[in-house]
Amino acid sequence: KQQDEGLDMLSKSAERLGALSMGISEELGQQNKMLDGMEDDLDKATQRLDFVTKKTQEMIKRSGGKQNFLIIVGLIVVAFILILLILYS
């Protein structure tokens, strides 16, 4: 009788573990699908970023190189600082 009770408890534990493992398996399947979607989105974003980087490099070369680009960036920063000084004074 004790042996039957022990086997019954073992059987119930095995059923619970089986159900738990099925739940984990389903969750992992869903998370894998989500990761695959994120990987696709990341690949697309990387391709777009590469395109923008190449176009920016071409624009810098056409506009006279890095020196002119740095001058433009510097002037933008100075203009931004002047605007802030005007707004907060």
Side-chain angles (χ1 to χ4, degrees):
K1 185 175 179 179
Q2 287 180 345
Q3 193 176 22
D4 287 342
E5 289 175 1
L7 288 174
D8 196 35
M9 286 177 50
L10 185 61
S11 174
K12 289 178 182 178
S13 294
E15 287 176 16
R16 284 193 305 261
L17 284 174
L20 186 60
S21 67
M22 291 299 291
I24 290 172
S25 176
E26 289 176 17
E27 180 69 25
L28 286 175
Q30 291 174 357
Q31 289 183 5
N32 278 336
K33 288 179 184 177
M34 288 171 40
L35 287 173
D36 288 341
M38 288 175 60
E39 183 179 9
D40 292 341
D41 292 343
L42 183 60
D43 287 342
K44 290 176 186 175
T46 301
Q47 289 174 354
R48 290 178 183 157
L49 183 59
D50 289 343
F51 176 77
V52 169
T53 301
K54 287 178 186 176
K55 290 296 181 183
T56 303
Q57 288 173 345
E58 290 174 10
M59 183 185 72
I60 290 171
K61 286 179 185 176
R62 278 188 273 142
S63 68
K66 290 182 183 179
Q67 184 178 7
N68 286 348
F69 180 74
L70 291 176
I71 291 171
I72 292 170
V73 170
L75 289 173
I76 290 172
V77 169
V78 169
F80 183 72
I81 291 171
L82 289 174
I83 290 172
L84 287 177
L85 289 173
I86 291 170
L87 291 175
Y88 292 109
S89 57

